Amino acid sequence: NLDRKLLAVLLLGLLVRGAVLWQYRDTLTRDDDNYGEIATNLRQQSIFGLGQDVAIPTAFRPPLYPILLAGSMIGDEISPWQVGTLHLLLGLLTILLVYQLAQQYGLSRGAPLAALLVAVDPILLYQSTRIMTETLATLLAVASLYALSRLNQKHHWTTALISGGILGLSILCRPTFLVWLLLCLLALVILEPKSRQRWQLASALLAGAVLVISPWTIRNMIQFQRPIALTTHGGYTLLLGNNPVFYQHLQQQPWGSVWEPAEVDRFKQGLNKMDPNGDPTKNYWSPSMVTEPNSSQSTTEYERDRFAYRVARHQMSQQPRMLVVASLVKIGRLWSPLPHQVDPTESTKGRWLRYLIASWYAASYLLALVSLYHLRGTIIGRPWLWGLLLVITLTAVHTLFWSNIRMRAPLVPWIALLVGASCSGRPTASVQEPSSEAS
């Protein structure tokens, strides 16, 4: 029966993900984005901050994942066993929720397939082998979709409040999800037929998110005298995708090539030259531009973030053609079935593995498009709408901000649901009608 199918998929997910985590056990403490450093400082010094010796308080990264890392430490250091176990549990919970979500969507025959696709997805497998947010962000995306589908069934303010709370947790993991929250609020207001219930549900959804995000915002207000609800990382990410070095790379290098180390170093050198008290219209990547001594020592993390936004906006306005080109490239990188070649000396085995992964995603896209065709009359209605809004969110945000294939990890479950729908024999099915219980 279906329960046995679920157990079989969970067991397969346990074996596959466990094997991958064991194979890459040496990279499980690789900390490219400093989440592990923040978690270690939080555990050892009770400071959410960056720094190897004395931690300096920061809001550069969102708080949920480092807090989860710090809370799951056995001692005072992050270990491969800790990261591997945490990511394995998060992954299994994601598989379980995808299966239950497929049942909510009326895809009883497609539920095992959707869960299986998530269990062995290449992006999710690879990102689980590093200290990165993709595993948690994907789980929270599925949990949000599940909560929103429950809201379809039960139009009650408590259900909306819980849904908003889960969306709030998603935002504390990936600030991008804030745009998703806003689109979900807009959809509730437009689609809910009863005026009184419409505003009641939307208010409860917003309140749930605000309640969850508030402690982080209050902490930042106390620490930095600024009500930072997200992070101080957005300006850097916008500038990373819109600067003269990247634009020049797109003009001169073959399509699909990655930044060379020399180009990355040049971009970082320009960052070091930037003075948040100075002029955002300067070209900080020009060879003639020199660093002003002690120019940014008195500035705050928040001021540097705001200045990065201003520099990025100036670069975008100065080169509108390259802004369009860069935007198209970033969309392509987000949705490309073929993973980027990051190693110039890639082996034949590595190249064919990337081609195999590309074939996997191309087939998934094709089946998902078949479902979208069959759902064309109902895709803008609930419950499929919530996932569609997440697709719009990530595509729109990463049109401007830096993008690569891992950024679409939270979309993997929704695409898997579409694939399951195409193979379920009921691609137009939806969840049951909401109860008539008054709010």
Side-chain angles (χ1 to χ4, degrees), residues 192-322:
E192 181 55 46
K194 298 179 181 178
S195 177
R196 178 174 175 271
Q197 196 173 59
R198 173 190 309 157
W199 297 109
Q200 202 172 55
L201 294 177
S203 298
L205 187 73
L206 179 60
V210 170
L211 285 172
V212 170
I213 298 171
S214 291
W216 170 246
T217 308
I218 294 170
R219 175 263 183 187
N220 291 333
M221 186 68 190
I222 295 172
Q223 186 68 59
F224 305 110
Q225 289 75 55
R226 299 281 184 175
I228 302 169
L230 302 178
T231 67
T232 54
H233 183 62
Y236 169 84
T237 311
L238 182 64
L239 185 58
L240 185 62
N242 299 278
N243 63 80
V245 181
F246 183 53
Y247 286 174
Q248 186 179 50
H249 167 85
L250 296 179
Q251 289 175 311
Q252 298 178 352
Q253 300 300 323
W255 181 88
S257 61
V258 297
W259 276 12
E260 298 293 334
E263 293 175 307
V264 176
D265 289 341
R266 185 183 164 201
F267 172 72
K268 292 181 178 179
Q269 290 169 7
L271 285 181
N272 294 332
K273 295 176 184 178
M274 286 168 51
D275 176 12
N277 294 316
D279 183 359
T281 65
K282 290 182 179 179
N283 183 0
Y284 292 92
W285 294 270
S286 170
S288 62
M289 187 70 188
V290 296
T291 306
E292 298 181 17
N294 303 321
S295 61
S296 62
Q297 287 188 0
S298 61
T299 59
T300 66
E301 185 177 87
Y302 175 84
E303 290 170 334
R304 291 191 291 273
D305 181 57
R306 294 295 98 185
F307 189 73
Y309 271 113
R310 294 170 63 193
V311 174
R313 287 196 296 267
H314 172 72
Q315 295 298 329
M316 292 157 66
S317 65
Q318 288 295 106
Q319 302 188 62
R321 177 182 172 276
M322 287 311 303

Side-chain angles (χ1 to χ4, degrees), residues 59-130:
F60 192 69
R61 295 293 182 188
L64 187 60
Y65 183 59
I67 290 173
L68 194 60
L69 284 174
S72 60
M73 285 185 193
I74 303 300
D76 288 339
E77 298 287 344
I78 291 178
S79 69
W81 281 103
Q82 172 213 344
V83 177
T85 302
L86 176 63
H87 286 183
L88 183 60
L89 292 174
L90 294 176
L92 291 175
L93 186 54
T94 302
I95 296 167
L96 174 63
L97 279 179
V98 168
Y99 188 91
Q100 297 298 329
L101 188 59
Q103 300 282 2
Q104 288 270 19
Y105 279 35
L107 310 177
S108 56
R109 288 174 54 188
L113 176 60
L116 178 62
L117 291 176
V118 172
V120 299
D121 181 81
I123 293 177
L124 299 183
L125 289 175
Y126 183 76
Q127 292 305 134
S128 69
T129 63
R130 284 157 171 72

Side-chain angles (χ1 to χ4, degrees), residues 137-199:
T138 303
L139 170 60
L140 291 170
V142 177
S144 299
L145 288 172
Y146 185 83
L148 290 167
S149 74
R150 293 289 298 168
L151 184 58
N152 294 336
Q153 295 176 314
K154 187 177 181 181
H155 284 194
H156 195 274
W157 70 268
T158 56
T159 310
L161 187 72
I162 293 171
S163 300
I166 298 174
L167 281 165
L169 290 173
S170 302
I171 294 167
L172 292 180
C173 177
R174 281 278 186 90
T176 307
F177 285 121
L178 175 62
V179 179
W180 190 27
L181 169 66
L182 297 177
L183 291 179
C184 288
L185 285 169
L186 181 62
L188 262 183
V189 172
I190 293 174
L191 297 177
E192 181 55 46
K194 298 179 181 178
S195 177
R196 178 174 175 271
Q197 196 173 59
R198 173 190 309 157
W199 297 109

Side-chain angles (χ1 to χ4, degrees), residues 422-436:
S422 71
C423 302
S424 69
R426 301 179 61 190
T428 59
S430 62
V431 299
Q432 67 188 60
E433 290 299 313
S435 66
S436 58

